[in-house]
Amino acid sequence: MPVDVYLLDVREDDEWAVGHAPAAHHLPMTELPARIAEIPQDRDVAVICRSGGRSAQVVGYLMRNGWDQVRNVEGGMGDWAAAGRPVVTDDGQPGRVA
């Protein structure tokens, strides 16, 4: 994933704690309406969840609210990990997808 892409992880706190992409920004889907201003509109945003369903919903929500540089990470963290990409915990230790 290009460095200038904002990777938005919309999974719940417990899923995030077990493992996430190192450069991801965590914002649970349920908190999105209250925290939408935290998501940049001036660069590409890639949204990820466990398998791609929730992130697809978030992409639609963001597009309806003015974001145009946003896309879903198909297959989510499951495919991310299966492709050999790093998954870590908050303390930088190896993580897993839950």
Side-chain angles (χ1 to χ4, degrees):
M1 182 150 312
V3 178
D4 58 334
V5 172
Y6 186 91
L7 181 59
L8 177 64
D9 189 321
V10 297
R11 295 176 301 146
E12 295 300 319
D13 292 338
D14 59 331
E15 295 172 289
W16 170 267
V18 174
H20 52 82
H25 301 270
H26 185 222
L27 197 168
M29 180 176 159
T30 55
E31 297 177 21
L32 181 64
R35 297 177 55 194
I36 195 168
E38 296 176 29
I39 303 167
Q41 288 187 282
D42 61 349
R43 63 183 189 166
D44 289 337
V45 176
V47 186
I48 196 166
C49 66
R50 186 178 64 230
S51 62
R54 287 174 285 178
S55 53
Q57 292 177 38
V58 168
V59 166
Y61 181 82
L62 291 173
M63 292 178 80
R64 288 189 303 276
N65 283 278
W67 274 255
D68 57 1
Q69 297 181 98
V70 61
R71 63 183 170 88
N72 187 24
V73 178
E74 296 291 332
M77 284 299 298
D79 281 3
W80 178 279
R85 294 187 181 105
V87 177
V88 298
T89 60
D90 280 339
D91 62 6
Q93 296 301 310
R96 63 183 175 82
V97 178

